[in-house]
Amino acid sequence: MVLVGLLVVLAGVVRLGVHTGLSYANVGKRAIVFAVIMQAVLYYAGFFDPQFVRQPQQAFSKVLKALALSTLVNVLVYYLFPRFEIGRGIYLSSVALIAVVLPTWRVFYDSVTDTAGFRRNVLILGSSGLGKEIAEMIRDNPSHGLNLVGMLGRDRSHVDSEQGVVGTYSDLAEVVAKDNVQLVLVAYPDRRGTLPVDQLLEVKFRGVEIHEGVDFYETITGKIYVRDLKPSQLIFAEGFTARVTTRRLKRILDLVCAVIGILLAAPIMLLTIVLIRLESKGPILYRQVRAGEFGKLFTILKFRSMRTDAEKHGAQFAKENDDRVTKVGAFIRKTRIDELPQLWNVLKGEMSMVGPRPERPVFIEQLEQQVPYFRQRLYVKPGVTGHAQVRCQYGASAEDMLRKLEYDLYYIKAYSVLFDLSVMLDTVKVVLFRIGSR
């Protein structure tokens, strides 16, 4: 943001000369407003998502997209607040400078910080399940600033250099010293009689950081690793408690957002009603019984996006490229317009703006048998959008549901109004720019 602000001032100097450019009326305020708007649109263009911006062409593409969007926003801002308007010549000069300098800076920054001098050597204690997932995550995301030394297995039969298993638990101190390890992640569930306590204490007092693999996984991914999760880890974990004040603030936020959403979306909803009626006969709204907070049943409302005979063969999960979806339905599902009637469910208190998606009782009974801790997601109100929805694709299998559950449990653990606001911002990004899920 500072860089963008300085580039706007530089554009004024280039256009008007040093003295005139620096004394340009309200140049500081104009530059700050421009920079704040640019910062926001860069976020929505995906410029701050490391997995999307790793190559020069990607960086330039994101910046150009952000500049196009910021121009539209700036036109509105300058119309409402003329004193912040930047002259056409300075504006175009600013855009030209930002289009070149910002992506160049990003590429330079990534190339420098990706070098070994900016990374910490990490060793993973555990070579299956969680250990493998963390290892893959570190390899695939250099932006985490970690260099994977390898994993340690339970015994010699697990050692496999091709798979990254460089030794056993008993080799911990030796590998730490040899490879200058600065971080050790303990990432295996059953530790009874196998944890190298003495060696862990030794490296700990040498200044090596030691962290729980589960906690590290949560911090990096924003989800809870469910596969090896024990009930005691949930019982004694921090979080998973929602204060009365938090619930009240969340309810106020829900009411405000639902009322504003209904007012703003009214024209879109009216147009959707007309299009659905023109395309096919049948009800405009789709009503279905779902399980809400603590399993209480309620009727969810959605715009009908499928044929009226979509479930003639019984209940089934929705999936991508579902052949039961109508032409209008495909569009309103992709843009999530079909979810707008759920704002009424929010006003009634049956749903929240943010939370786990409400599932049908018949599916809950099935998934409880296949997915551990699935019922625990019923301990908060379901949401129109949610932490899992903006990060996962459509779930059509138990494995997909397990992946979503990891995000849902993390949401319940970190339950807060600020978290809700961040999910809402991400939802806008997903719907408008197709960044993230779906």
Side-chain angles (χ1 to χ4, degrees), residues 201-228:
L201 285 172
E202 179 183 342
V203 299
K204 174 76 172 180
F205 282 97
R206 286 183 183 177
V208 176
E209 288 186 51
I210 299 175
H211 291 297
E212 277 279 4
V214 170
D215 294 339
F216 176 85
Y217 182 84
E218 287 182 25
T219 302
I220 296 297
T221 64
K223 58 184 180 179
I224 290 176
Y225 189 77
V226 173
R227 289 170 177 80
D228 295 325

Side-chain angles (χ1 to χ4, degrees), residues 41-110:
V41 296
L42 284 170
Y43 163 76
Y44 279 106
F47 190 68
F48 302 117
D49 296 329
Q51 64 269 36
F52 293 123
V53 186
R54 302 304 303 175
Q55 301 297 328
Q57 62 268 29
Q58 292 176 321
F60 278 92
S61 172
K62 300 295 184 185
V63 170
L64 291 175
K65 181 187 292 186
L67 285 169
L69 178 60
S70 70
T71 298
L72 298 176
V73 177
N74 280 322
V75 167
L76 177 61
V77 171
Y78 296 161
Y79 176 77
L80 297 174
F81 307 99
R83 66 181 179 276
F84 294 130
E85 184 177 355
I86 297 175
R88 182 176 58 186
I90 297 177
Y91 190 91
L92 293 175
S93 299
S94 299
V95 168
L97 285 171
I98 290 169
V100 175
V101 174
L102 207 59
T104 302
W105 160 251
R106 175 61 182 264
V107 172
F108 171 75
Y109 173 86
D110 285 341

Side-chain angles (χ1 to χ4, degrees), residues 289-293 295-299 350 361:
V289 175
R290 299 286 178 100
E293 188 176 23
K296 183 179 179 181
L297 301 182
F298 72 99
T299 302
E350 297 167 334

Side-chain angles (χ1 to χ4, degrees), residues 53-347:
V53 186
R54 302 304 303 175
Q55 301 297 328
Q57 62 268 29
Q58 292 176 321
F60 278 92
S61 172
K62 300 295 184 185
V63 170
L64 291 175
K65 181 187 292 186
L67 285 169
L69 178 60
S70 70
T71 298
L72 298 176
V73 177
N74 280 322
V75 167
L76 177 61
V77 171
Y78 296 161
Y79 176 77
L80 297 174
F81 307 99
R83 66 181 179 276
F84 294 130
E85 184 177 355
I86 297 175
R88 182 176 58 186
I90 297 177
Y91 190 91
L92 293 175
S93 299
S94 299
V95 168
L97 285 171
I98 290 169
V100 175
V101 174
L102 207 59
T104 302
W105 160 251
R106 175 61 182 264
V107 172
F108 171 75
Y109 173 86
D110 285 341
S111 65
V112 172
T113 56
D114 282 353
T115 58
F118 283 85
R119 296 192 193 182
R120 291 191 298 166
N121 289 338
V122 58
L123 178 67
I124 300 174
L125 202 58
S127 59
S128 62
L130 178 60
K132 284 184 176 179
E133 285 217 26
I134 293 177
E136 183 177 352
M137 185 171 59
I138 292 172
R139 291 192 195 102
D140 294 344
N141 296 279
S143 59
H144 293 324
L146 299 172
N147 177 53
L148 181 64
V149 169
M151 297 176 282
L152 297 182
R154 185 186 296 272
D155 52 51
R156 290 294 169 190
S157 64
H158 293 95
V159 176
D160 184 349
S161 58
E162 291 185 2
Q163 298 296 321
V165 184
V166 297
T168 66
Y169 300 160
S170 60
D171 300 322
L172 173 64
E174 179 184 344
V175 176
V176 166
K178 183 182 69 174
D179 293 307
N180 190 28
V181 171
Q182 296 151 293
L183 173 64
V184 173
L185 300 173
V186 182
Y188 67 99
D190 189 8
R191 303 171 187 175
R192 189 174 301 174
T194 63
L195 193 67
V197 176
D198 292 338
Q199 294 193 59
L200 285 170
L201 285 172
E202 179 183 342
V203 299
K204 174 76 172 180
F205 282 97
R206 286 183 183 177
V208 176
E209 288 186 51
I210 299 175
H211 291 297
E212 277 279 4
V214 170
D215 294 339
F216 176 85
Y217 182 84
E218 287 182 25
T219 302
I220 296 297
T221 64
K223 58 184 180 179
I224 290 176
Y225 189 77
V226 173
R227 289 170 177 80
D228 295 325
L229 190 65
K230 296 180 180 179
S232 59
Q233 290 175 276
L234 289 177
I235 293 169
F236 296 109
E238 293 183 8
F240 295 107
T241 55
R243 298 177 181 177
V244 175
T245 304
T246 302
R247 288 184 178 275
R248 287 175 180 170
L249 289 174
K250 183 175 169 66
R251 181 57 183 156
I252 292 172
L253 178 66
D254 288 341
L255 289 173
V256 170
C257 290
V259 171
I260 294 175
I262 289 173
L263 293 176
L264 294 178
I268 297 174
M269 290 194 284
L270 287 174
L271 178 59
T272 303
I273 290 171
V274 172
L275 292 176
I276 292 174
R277 175 58 68 205
L278 290 174
E279 183 181 34
S280 62
K281 294 181 179 180
I284 301 296
L285 292 177
Y286 179 67
R287 293 174 170 84
Q288 194 176 73
V289 175
R290 299 286 178 100
E293 188 176 23
F294 300 115
K296 183 179 179 181
L297 301 182
F298 72 99
T299 302
I300 196 172
L301 300 176
K302 300 177 71 173
F303 283 124
R304 181 173 61 84
S305 60
M306 293 187 177
R307 304 189 310 267
T308 53
D309 63 347
E311 294 196 331
K312 61 183 179 181
H313 299 302
Q316 52 186 295
F317 286 117
K319 54 185 180 292
E320 286 193 274
N321 302 317
D322 201 316
D323 58 7
R324 299 172 297 164
V325 176
T326 63
K327 292 180 179 178
V328 172
F331 176 76
I332 64 175
R333 286 168 74 91
K334 183 177 291 186
T335 56
R336 296 194 177 180
I337 292 173
D338 64 322
E339 314 278 5
L340 290 177
Q342 292 169 36
L343 294 173
W344 177 247
N345 292 114
V346 175
L347 285 177

